[in-house]
């Protein structure tokens, strides 16, 4: 049971971090045409999860790395048990 939870958590963290990184990349590409933050450009959209600074990108990349680690740990536990 622990292996399954670890694999599922790893997949969720990996995909959440990847989506955040892709949204940040698209936001940076769109920022070249206009100035301001995402919250200024899209006031009605929830943009709190989109990284706009080095700290945000680091957090999203950390989520991807932890996701890969948790996925590998879960698969290893499933193989051993």
């Amino acid at each position: 049971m622990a292996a399954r939870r670890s694999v599922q958590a790893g997949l969720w963290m990996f995909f959440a971090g990847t989506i955040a990184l892709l949204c940040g990349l698209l936001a940076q590409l769109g920022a070249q045409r206009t100035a301001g933050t995402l919250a200024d450009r899209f006031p009605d959209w929830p943009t709190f999860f989109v990284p706009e600074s080095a700290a945000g990108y680091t957090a999203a990349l950390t989520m991807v790395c932890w996701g890969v680690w948790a996925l590998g740990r879960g698969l290893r536990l499933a193989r051993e048990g």
Side-chain angles (χ1 to χ4, degrees), residues 3-64:
R4 180 178 173 170
R5 282 192 305 250
S6 182
V7 168
Q8 288 176 345
L11 284 173
W12 278 103
M13 284 192 304
F14 175 78
F15 286 125
T18 302
I19 288 170
L21 286 173
L22 289 176
C23 287
L25 176 67
L26 292 174
Q28 290 298 324
L29 291 176
Q32 292 175 353
R33 288 180 273 157
T34 59
T37 64
L38 284 177
D40 296 337
R41 287 184 279 156
F42 304 106
D44 297 334
W45 292 10
T47 57
F48 62 88
F49 62 91
V50 179
E52 293 189 67
S53 65
Y57 284 108
T58 302
L61 189 59
T62 301
M63 281 181 63
V64 171

Side-chain angles (χ1 to χ4, degrees), residues 3 6-11 13 65-75:
S6 182
V7 168
Q8 288 176 345
L11 284 173
M13 284 192 304
C65 292
W66 281 352
V68 170
W69 176 81
L71 181 63
R73 179 182 176 268
L75 292 175

